[in-house]
Amino acid sequence: MSRAQSIMGMATLALRGMKRRPTRSALVLAGVAVAVFLFCTVDAMRSGVERATQKSAGETALIVYRQNRFCPFTSQLPQSYESAIAKIPGVASVTPVKIVVSNCRASLDVVTFRGVPPQEFAVTHSGSASAQDMQSWLSRGDSALIGRELAQRRRLKAGDRFTAAGVDAFVAGIIESDLPQDQSSAFVHLSFLQEQAKRGGTGGVVTQFDVRVSDPAQMDSVAQAIDERFAKDQSPTTTRAETAHVARAATDVIVLVGFAQALGIAALVAVFALVANAIVLSMRSREKEISVLQTLGFRGVHLATLVLLEALLLGGVGGMIGAGASYAAVSLARTAMTMEGVSIAIAPSFAIALIGVAIAIGLSVLAGIVPAIIAARQTIVAGFRS
Amino acid sequence: MQNTNATTPQIHGSSDIIVCDNLEKHYSRGGETVRVLESIDLTLARGAFVALMGPSGSGKTTLLNLFAGIDRPTAGTLMVDGQDLTKLSRAQLAQWRATSVGYVFQLYHLVPVLTAYENVELPLYLHELSRAQRHERVSEALEAVGISDRHAHYPRQLSGGQEQRVAIARAIVTRPALLLADEPTGDLDRVAAASIMQLLSQLHSERGQTIVMVTHDPSTATHAQRLVRLDKGQLVEDVAVLS
Ligand SMILES: Nc1ncnc2c1ncn2[C@@H]1O[C@H](COP(=O)(O)OP(=O)(O)O)[C@@H](O)[C@H]1O
Ligand SMILES: [Mg+2]
């Protein structure tokens, strides 16, 4: 008899067994789904952190920050540094940025105002917003271009007004960007933000400078040159690669995510235990059934296949439900973890969903191996006498 | 499918379906050896309908299990349907069972999550048959046991007599040379028992099905042609039944 045919037969049996014990199957599937959901969601956070903080080879973005300051409220640099930085060899562009955040601690609902020189921004981000939105933004002093994520989170669209961190702005349009920093930001005119933030003459003060270097290989040397340039100045600076800047700000979050990841892995261990338990229980109540199948001529390999397919189905279907739910939840929530003014986007990933399903299947099949061997080795007469 | 043919000469079509010589079955229980079957010599003809009787614990089920190849003798020779069962490996024995024997249990032992139709179809997954061929075989078997109208029912939706009919259909659907039944009416009321016996007799007379049936009900045994009696693991009587 052909192997494919007998495997088809076993698959049919396994599927029927699962469908027709709906309560048992639903319980196991729900358990597997919850565990995989947890794992995938935590992993979406982890990969968000990784994307935002891991150094990449082609990186050209530097952040110039006030030395020993860790929050946009306290990092204060004179806007006049702009021209000095621009003169440093290897610097391709400099943008002074004023950041006002609604919350300096780690939070999931932070609005980051980035004050930027309007004309420069219109040039560097010309492709990120529609020409009409950009025009409307340029023409109105109190207007903001907001990241898609922020727009979704606060349900904002062009023409709305919104207030955060004491700043009241008009939404000129939505800005599209892959950069996590842009996703939860509201870009406003630098002068407007300086005006808003001015409490006793802090005009001309910015939070940081966003610098682009012309050659990725010069990141370190340019950063060093910038810091040396202002070392003896009134406001000394610390310049880091953008990823390093985010990583430093996100230290606490990274620790938390690592902890959450351990929980996610514990959840997967629970998948293993759950499926193993379900299969062992079902085998115990089916010793006679196995003996009957053996009497009909089913061999050890058939029975082992049957048990493993059952495990595979439970893990696979449960895993798909959990991974799908996580993907949907992360897509809908569109949140970003923000701390000290930097954002880490939690984005859905198809790869993470696939990995979650694969791990659930792998662990379930692993959980089925011992029961499969026991089923294959059972002697018929012993099964009937049990 | 029988790669066992190469090792043992086949005597298919020989007039004897079971030949056993000096057959012994021992179990060890708590370090002590129990001789469940002792030097059984028996030859059964193809096409026969044999009743196996004896008091409880006399070894009837054990002997039937040896014939079915689901248990192995401790000593002696055992040829069933031309095959020396003592020479087959575990897997070969399973393959042999798939084609050569059908087994009917006292407690039916249908798979609860499968319908009557699916239960009967079960052994056919081990045969090289298309879906359509399987359908034909299952329909024919359900027809033969008179339960076609209940094909979509689950075992829990059937009476004991109906369950046993489905179990008989499952046992004959592979067209085995030998049908074994262990107290097939033991769990049924008189009416259902009589109709099951009617069915077995019919399978024997109309299809020439060889049947070995364990029973301890003398009236049931009258359907058989031959009566073999065991007592304490020994063959104590072997007579023709006059009907
Ligand atoms: N697997 C086994 N292990 C130990 N003892 C067994 C086993 N199978 C049967 N026996 C013993 O063999 C004897 C005969 O059993 P059995 O063949 O079931 O008798 P019957 O079917 O005639 O009632 C009984 O005493 C039973 O306890
Ligand atoms: Mg018995």
Side-chain angles (χ1 to χ4, degrees), chain A residues 370-382:
Chain A
V370 170
I373 291 173
I374 291 172
R377 292 214 179 139
Q378 182 183 308
T379 64
I380 304 179
V381 178

Side-chain angles (χ1 to χ4, degrees), chain B residues 55-62 64-65 103 106 182-183 214 216:
Chain B
S56 185
S58 58
K60 306 181 294 294
T61 297
T62 305
L64 207 65
N65 288 350
Y103 201 112
Q106 180 180 356
D182 191 0
E183 305 197 37
V214 169
H216 55 223

Side-chain angles (χ1 to χ4, degrees), chain A residues 234-246:
Chain A
Q234 200 179 331
S235 308
T237 58
T238 300
T239 304
R240 298 188 190 86
E242 183 175 30
T243 49
H245 179 75
V246 175

